[in-house]
Amino acid sequence: MDNITKEQANRYSPLTLAFLGDGYYELLVRQKITLLHNMSANKLHHAAVKKVRASFQAAACEKLKTVLTEEESEIFRRGRNAGGAVPRSSTPSEYRKATALEVLFGWLLLIGETKRAEELFEVIYYYSEKEK
């Protein structure tokens, strides 16, 4: 995938970045679960759904606050303030935080910072497993 500059990425609407980030984040979840658990596709799907739902992503945001750079925090804030229809399966607060997380992952993917996205994802995954 071709990368773009931060300035170009900043011109995208938060919901467009969230669209991309949602898919990228889900791919990271699926990859991690597949590598850790050799099980049926149905079980893999159910395990992945737990980690991509808005409530999980909202909780994950709390774990990232201390490790985000100033610039990443600004992108995150942009995402949190984005509008959008809230699904019935989440609260407005959960939805805003989940959208912010997806915006950040979309932005990082566009600018070619996949290593950084993977680092942040590992923080999320580590804490989610630790809290089990």
Side-chain angles (χ1 to χ4, degrees), residues 97-118:
K97 288 178 183 176
T99 301
L101 183 71
E102 293 168 352
V103 167
L104 178 59
F105 274 80
W107 184 79
L108 289 169
L109 180 62
L110 280 180
I111 65 170
E113 291 289 336
T114 55
K115 292 288 184 211
R116 178 60 176 159
E118 290 168 9

Side-chain angles (χ1 to χ4, degrees), residues 2-18:
D2 292 335
N3 301 327
I4 62 175
T5 67
K6 290 178 182 180
E7 293 75 23
Q8 290 170 315
N10 289 341
R11 290 188 207 122
Y12 282 82
S13 77
L15 293 180
T16 300
L17 292 171

Side-chain angles (χ1 to χ4, degrees), residues 6 16 47 56 71 78 83 95 113 121 123 132:
K6 290 178 182 180
T16 300
F56 178 86
E71 188 173 36
R78 276 186 61 209
Y95 178 75
E113 291 289 336
F121 178 77
V123 169
K132 279 186 176 180

Side-chain angles (χ1 to χ4, degrees), residues 59-124:
C61 292
E62 297 305 314
K63 309 302 182 203
L64 290 182
K65 283 184 179 179
T66 60
V67 298
L68 294 179
T69 66
E70 187 175 317
E71 188 173 36
E72 292 166 346
S73 293
E74 180 55 35
I75 297 300
F76 185 87
R77 276 189 292 280
R78 276 186 61 209
R80 191 181 59 222
N81 294 331
V86 178
R88 288 179 284 173
S89 61
S90 68
T91 67
S93 175
E94 288 173 336
Y95 178 75
R96 282 191 303 274
K97 288 178 183 176
T99 301
L101 183 71
E102 293 168 352
V103 167
L104 178 59
F105 274 80
W107 184 79
L108 289 169
L109 180 62
L110 280 180
I111 65 170
E113 291 289 336
T114 55
K115 292 288 184 211
R116 178 60 176 159
E118 290 168 9
E119 288 173 8
L120 295 175
F121 178 77
E122 287 300 324
V123 169
I124 293 167

